[in-house]
Amino acid sequence: MSARTTTPWPLVALFTAGYLAPYLLPTTVGRLSAGLPLSATEAGSIGSALLLSSATAGFLLASRVDRFGPRGLARVGLLLAAAGYGTAALTTTIPLVVLGAIAGGLGSGTITTVAATGIAGQRDPHRTTTLGLLGVSALAGALYLTIPHLGPGHGHPLAAIAVTALLVLPVTRRLPTAGTPEALHTPAARALRATAAPLPHRRAGLVLAAAMLCWSLAQNSLWGVSGRIGLQQAGLTEVTVGAVFAVALGAGLLGVIGAGALGQRLGRALPIGAGTALIAGCIALSAAATDLTSFATGEIAWNTVHPVVLSYVIGLAASLDRRGRWAVLVGSASSLGTACGPLAGSLLSARVGYPGMGVILALGLLLITAPMTAVALRTRRTAPLPQEHPVVEIPAQEIPVVEIPLDAVPAPRTAYDTAGPRQATAGAAAGPGSASR
């Protein structure tokens, strides 16, 4: 009889709040460039600094969540995000905007680290990741429809992230404190977290982390300039571009729902490998868009496939270490690639144009498809699937010792013999195949 699976809504809420900044990156960078005396490259650099600080928090806190306690660490991250993004939204002084974005990024990284560590300890990390992606995609889509109608100014997307962090703050009451990680984790995860086990699957984890850095770099190089492609190259208005992004994120919701329904039926290798190849084609199409049809087709197809592949990659990283360390490290590597995306996209587009940038990014994605698929195939046999049954702890019971009197009966001499190779060989011949499976 299997136990009923409860949904860890606090982790889903933290996932949504932590990932909202990367999802709003195009409108954040675009509004920084339009609302402040900044060039497109300078605005992209601020976006990169925000995401770089988020990745730094992940690397620093990857193995320290249990030590500090998920509840306290999540509250610090949420308050830091609210203060940082709020400051950047309310001021037009460039140094304060930069400092606020960096502080907010540290908060986002802290929130994401707590969420990733908790998700890795769940019986089904893919399901929880899917719910988190649904939450952040729905929220970001609603904001893309709303922000263009709030008037000009750089602060609206930053303020939205800050308000989201404050709204999520009350759910931290349901997170465990330091020393009590069992509140949200399975018995199997508790047993693993109680030991100081070395980091498993080092080679596979390092390959996946390096591939995810490049995977996120390629996609966010385009994502960071997608707003400018729609406005400048495709000749669309901000309202139209925002509507395309909202529809694209809505299509992403359908993709995530499909991935959640599919689960592990196809394994992880096929969704990751084939999905990444499809993303490469979508990026080339979006970067070369010159009208609404091509721009919308590329963005919608891309955003449909991206969260599907991301959910399987996060699940793969979680399966490498149920303590959540690889999930955090791979996520931080992804954030590092995301951080470099806006600046890389701005530099590439300035040198070779948007279509040339799309071809370069697509080729890079195709190159990393092989190692990501190889990791998924290799760990399919060595890493446990998320649906494995939890370990049930059975309390030891005291069993009384019963003394049974035995009469001394002399054994015949023929029952004993000398030990030696002859007897071992005879015994092996009498019971073949006992060690085979």
Side-chain angles (χ1 to χ4, degrees):
M1 181 177 178
S2 61
R4 182 174 61 90
T5 302
T6 59
T7 303
W9 292 114
L11 297 179
V12 174
L14 289 176
F15 187 99
T16 301
Y19 272 91
L20 185 58
Y23 268 70
L24 292 182
L25 188 63
T27 186
T28 300
V29 172
R31 291 220 163 201
L32 285 174
S33 177
L36 297 175
L38 296 170
S39 65
T41 302
E42 290 171 341
S45 299
I46 294 178
S48 294
L50 183 158
L51 298 172
L52 182 61
S53 63
S54 178
T56 302
F59 284 120
L60 293 176
L61 299 172
S63 59
R64 295 177 172 86
V65 175
D66 287 339
R67 183 186 307 174
F68 297 123
R71 182 188 300 175
L73 204 57
R75 286 176 175 175
V76 170
L78 291 168
L79 291 174
L80 189 59
Y85 293 127
T87 300
L90 294 175
T91 183
T92 56
T93 304
I94 303 299
L96 287 179
V97 171
V98 174
L99 291 176
I102 293 175
L106 287 173
S108 293
T110 303
I111 302 165
T112 305
T113 300
V114 176
T117 303
I119 289 172
Q122 299 297 308
R123 290 186 59 222
D124 191 351
H126 183 262
R127 175 177 175 271
T128 308
T129 301
T130 299
L131 292 174
L133 288 171
L134 283 173
V136 69
S137 298
L139 179 58
L143 290 173
Y144 273 116
L145 289 175
T146 304
I147 288 176
H149 300 284
L150 299 179
H154 75 285
H156 295 106
L158 296 167
I161 305 173
V163 171
T164 301
L166 291 177
L167 292 176
V168 172
L169 190 60
V171 306
T172 58
R173 292 195 302 265
R174 298 176 56 189
L175 295 174
T177 58
T180 58
E182 66 274 9
L184 282 177
H185 301 310
T186 63
R190 290 206 305 272
L192 285 172
R193 291 175 190 273
T195 61
L199 195 63
H201 304 292
R202 288 179 178 269
R203 181 179 300 177
L206 288 174
V207 171
L208 185 61
M212 274 303 291
L213 189 153
C214 300
W215 190 85
S216 296
L217 172 64
Q219 296 188 69
N220 284 279
S221 294
L222 178 64
W223 186 239
V225 298
S226 287
R228 299 208 298 271
I229 292 176
L231 294 173
Q232 299 172 6
Q233 184 171 278
L236 307 177
T237 64
E238 185 184 10
V239 174
T240 304
V241 170
V244 170
F245 287 157
V247 173
L249 292 173
L253 289 176
L254 298 178
V256 172
I257 293 172
L262 185 63
Q264 300 294 332
R265 292 181 179 86
L266 297 179
R268 298 190 184 100
L270 181 61
I272 290 175
T276 301
L278 286 174
I279 289 173
C282 294
I283 285 179
L285 177 61
S286 294
T290 55
D291 54 21
L292 175 60
T293 301
S294 56
F295 180 73
T297 302
E299 292 291 328
I300 292 172
W302 172 28
N303 281 277
T304 301
V305 181
H306 171 268
V308 175
V309 180
L310 180 61
S311 68
Y312 281 99
V313 172
I314 294 175
L316 174 60
S319 72
L320 296 178
D321 176 30
R322 298 305 295 272
R323 293 183 63 187
R325 291 170 293 180
W326 275 125
V328 175
L329 292 173
V330 170
S332 298
S334 175
S335 297
L336 185 60
T338 302
C340 299
L343 182 59
S346 297
L347 293 175
L348 278 175
S349 60
R351 288 191 175 261
V352 298
Y354 294 124
M357 177 195 68
V359 172
I360 293 173
L361 297 177
L363 291 175
L365 277 177
L366 291 176
L367 287 176
I368 65 171
T369 300
M372 294 179 71
T373 306
V375 171
L377 289 172
R378 178 179 177 83
T379 56
R380 181 178 59 183
R381 296 185 296 269
T382 59
L385 289 176
Q387 291 89 347
E388 64 181 353
H389 296 289
V391 177
V392 179
E393 299 176 358
I394 302 176
Q397 297 179 354
E398 184 178 352
I399 302 176
V401 179
V402 180
E403 296 182 1
I404 303 176
L406 299 174
D407 296 332
V409 179
R413 180 66 182 87
T414 56
Y416 299 93
D417 205 343
T418 58
R422 180 175 60 83
Q423 287 73 13
T425 305
S434 60
S436 64
R437 299 183 62 182

